[in-house]
Amino acid sequence: MAKALLGHVGGPDPRMVAEMRRLQQRVRDLEAELVRLQSENDALAAVADNEVMALAAKDREPALT
């Protein structure tokens, strides 16, 4: 019965194993790309924030004393 459920007797299908490994590698590659892009985005956001703050400080009038 178990053999019928598995569909074969000789163990895991080598094509299936190769496809699983390929997909696992693809997931690892995509996760690494995501981390890289998040870091790049954080750096760009920090630069943009600094530029906005510099422009805001430049346009600000001095406080009355």
Side-chain angles (χ1 to χ4, degrees), residues 7-38:
H8 58 280
V9 180
D13 182 8
R15 292 173 295 171
M16 178 101 51
V17 172
E19 180 68 7
M20 182 66 74
R21 286 187 181 139
R22 186 187 71 77
L23 291 172
Q24 288 171 338
Q25 183 61 48
R26 179 71 174 139
V27 167
R28 284 191 294 272
D29 292 345
L30 290 171
E31 288 172 339
E33 180 75 3
L34 178 63
V35 169
R36 185 187 70 77
L37 289 172
Q38 286 173 333

